[in-house]
Amino acid sequence: MTTSAPASVATSSPSAARGGPRVVLGAALLGFFLISLDALIVTVALPDIGRSLGVGMSGLQWVVDGYTLIFAALMLSAGALSDRIGARRAYGGGLVLFALASAACGLAPGIGVLVAARLVQGGAAAVMMPASLALVRQGFPDQAKRARAIAVWTVGGAVAVAAGPVVGGALTASVGWRWIFFVNLPAGLLALALLARVPASPRLPARLDAVGQVTAVVAMGALTYGVIDGGDKGFGRPLVLVALLVAVVAAAAFLAAQARGAHPMLPLPLFRSRVVAVSLVVGFMLNAAYYGGVFIFSLYLQQQRGQTALHAGVMFIPMTALVAVVNLASAKLAARFGPRMPMVSGQLVGAAGLVALTTVGAHTNVWMVAALMVPVGLGGALTVPALTALLLDAVPAERAGTAGAVLNTGRQVGGAIAVAVFGALLAGAGTFLTGMRWGMLVAAAGLVLTTAATLSLPRGSGHRVAGA
């Protein structure tokens, strides 16, 4: 995940004299690590959560999507909130709320409390994300030093994503699934202790788009509910149909608010550029393939193959271990050959990996399964840095923060929708393996289509959006 804070923060306030730039970076990095970790740490624990709380597929889908959905829905407004109340205050408030919600998750007596706490966690994470990067920009006024600090900050998120399934499996197998949430408490306290040494951030004028925010949450929530409940109980149920209708109406209201509002959270002129539109679709599909794949194969390894949570987590190491290295390689390839080459190559590698995973059966060697998952992770790692560079080069500098937030939002939405859709396929198919194969084929087809869209971009793409 990558994002950008408003450019105005970069020239704000003196550097962190009380604690020094390293303290600022440590506080920001630790929080970013936590919110990235929680996007995936829960996935390997799902079978244990299901047995412990007595819930089926739809409940487990909400444990994942409750976090991702609100994270994505609030992301666009979170940057404006951070500017308005100050990055330090926003980050500190988000940290406290994240820690309290983590404790509530760990103590949850039932699925309702757990999902509600996950929703709060996702909201806190959305506030923390842009504020953490804004703190880095505040603490490193020198451009060269700030670039290195942001690189370290980004690697922290990549390490968290890679470690999520492994840490989740280890904690679940050793001390129980509740500790995947309790582990956030000491880390959160340490981040708060570091934050106490960071000077206050300036407050900048920023308007919140209340109508756009409410309609975005309603649209995404109703769509996710409709897909999850429809897959579990049938798409012909009146409540499911009403939810899908509400999603359509709320989405239309959101677009109208963005087109007519004085201070829209999603400036529609951005989408006049084919580069921007294609970048967002590619980001959506990459996260759908990755998060959906981790969701399905966590269940496969434990429910179908009888692996423990720890062993299932270990199976994801080959896929996640090379992500940081490939990220760096992608940046070098983009610098030498342009962003289209690593983007196309990465999407094709990911699609090939998804197709290969359709050959997995009830008795396939688990290490072969782990090897077959590698191309899916490598494809995303090869694509995302080049994708981000392509998008940011297509917009004016003053729109970089907005463009980064829009990309992150699209990617998080992709992950949330994938869990809902793939879970519906698992529930609706005759067998688990049939649903799993359909999920892989759908994701592979999506990546083939986004590859074709990428190839449709003219060479040297990245021309800035006029009037954006």
Side-chain angles (χ1 to χ4, degrees):
M1 288 182 287
T2 56
T3 189
S4 298
S8 54
V9 179
T11 56
S12 67
S13 115
S15 65
R18 289 167 53 190
R22 291 185 179 180
V23 173
V24 178
L25 180 58
L29 177 61
L30 191 52
F32 182 43
F33 180 89
L34 283 178
I35 62 180
S36 301
L37 185 72
D38 266 57
L40 283 174
I41 192 173
V42 71
T43 311
V44 178
L46 290 177
D48 282 70
I49 293 174
R51 287 189 292 268
S52 174
L53 301 182
V55 296
M57 177 66 70
S58 62
L60 297 180
Q61 287 172 276
W62 274 111
V63 172
V64 178
D65 274 357
Y67 181 86
T68 310
L69 177 67
I70 297 299
F71 190 6
L74 298 181
M75 181 79 73
L76 292 174
S77 289
L81 177 65
S82 175
D83 282 351
R84 188 166 184 168
I85 68 175
R88 180 176 177 269
R89 178 174 294 184
Y91 187 64
L95 265 173
V96 170
L97 189 61
F98 188 87
L100 292 175
S102 297
C105 287
L107 297 171
I111 190 63
V113 175
L114 178 56
V115 171
R118 286 286 282 171
L119 290 168
V120 176
Q121 256 195 328
V127 174
M128 291 166 61
M129 170 73 91
S132 68
L133 187 52
L135 284 175
V136 174
R137 293 174 68 98
Q138 172 185 320
F140 292 84
D142 178 77
Q143 185 175 12
K145 293 180 179 179
R146 184 167 64 247
R148 289 193 292 270
I150 290 175
V152 172
W153 180 87
T154 304
V155 169
V159 170
V161 170
V166 182
V167 174
L171 289 172
T172 301
S174 58
V175 290
W177 66 265
R178 296 181 184 275
W179 280 91
I180 65 176
F181 302 110
F182 289 146
V183 74
N184 292 335
L185 301 180
L189 289 174
L190 176 58
L192 284 171
L194 292 173
L195 187 65
R197 300 177 59 194
V198 175
S201 304
R203 300 186 186 186
L204 304 172
R207 294 181 180 270
L208 300 178
D209 179 11
V211 175
Q213 184 61 84
V214 171
T215 52
V217 171
V218 172
M220 292 172 61
L223 176 61
T224 304
Y225 175 85
V227 174
I228 289 177
D229 206 51
D232 185 41
K233 300 174 182 175
F235 284 95
R237 295 179 67 240
L239 194 57
V240 171
L241 295 175
V242 169
L244 295 176
L245 178 61
V246 169
V248 172
V249 173
F254 171 77
L255 291 175
Q258 301 314 290
R260 301 173 184 172
H263 304 282
M265 57 192 277
L266 180 63
L268 295 183
L270 282 175
F271 295 93
R272 293 173 184 164
S273 165
R274 186 166 55 166
V275 173
V276 173
V278 169
S279 297
L280 296 179
V281 172
V282 172
F284 175 96
M285 201 60 235
L286 285 171
N287 264 39
Y290 185 84
Y291 282 81
V294 172
F295 173 75
I296 284 182
F297 278 93
S298 293
L299 297 176
Y300 165 81
L301 289 168
Q302 295 178 74
Q303 294 183 346
Q304 302 297 308
R305 303 302 303 273
Q307 298 287 307
T308 65
L310 175 59
H311 290 159
V314 169
M315 291 297 103
F316 287 101
I317 290 178
M319 180 178 73
T320 61
L322 298 178
V323 168
V325 175
V326 177
N327 273 336
L328 295 175
S330 172
K332 292 181 179 179
L333 288 172
R336 182 171 182 179
F337 300 106
R340 282 206 332 168
M341 192 275 276
M343 285 178 63
V344 169
S345 301
Q347 290 173 85
L348 290 178
V349 167
L354 291 164
V355 172
L357 285 169
T358 63
T359 65
V360 170
H363 305 290
T364 305
N365 182 282
V366 291
W367 285 108
M368 177 61 70
V369 176
L372 290 175
M373 288 191 289
V374 170
V376 178
L378 293 187
L382 189 61
T383 305
V384 170
L387 165 68
T388 305
L390 178 72
L391 174 66
L392 295 182
D393 190 48
V395 299
E398 62 271 18
R399 287 293 194 191
T402 300
V406 170
L407 176 61
N408 277 312
T409 299
R411 293 181 62 196
Q412 294 300 323
V413 171
I417 296 301
V419 170
V421 171
F422 288 9
L425 289 172
L426 291 177
T431 65
F432 184 97
L433 289 177
T434 300
M436 180 183 76
R437 287 165 182 155
W438 272 112
M440 297 300 98
L441 287 174
V442 167
L447 284 178
V448 170
L449 290 175
T450 56
T451 301
T454 304
L455 287 171
S456 74
L457 297 175
R459 293 189 179 277
S461 294
H463 300 296
R464 291 186 173 179
V465 184

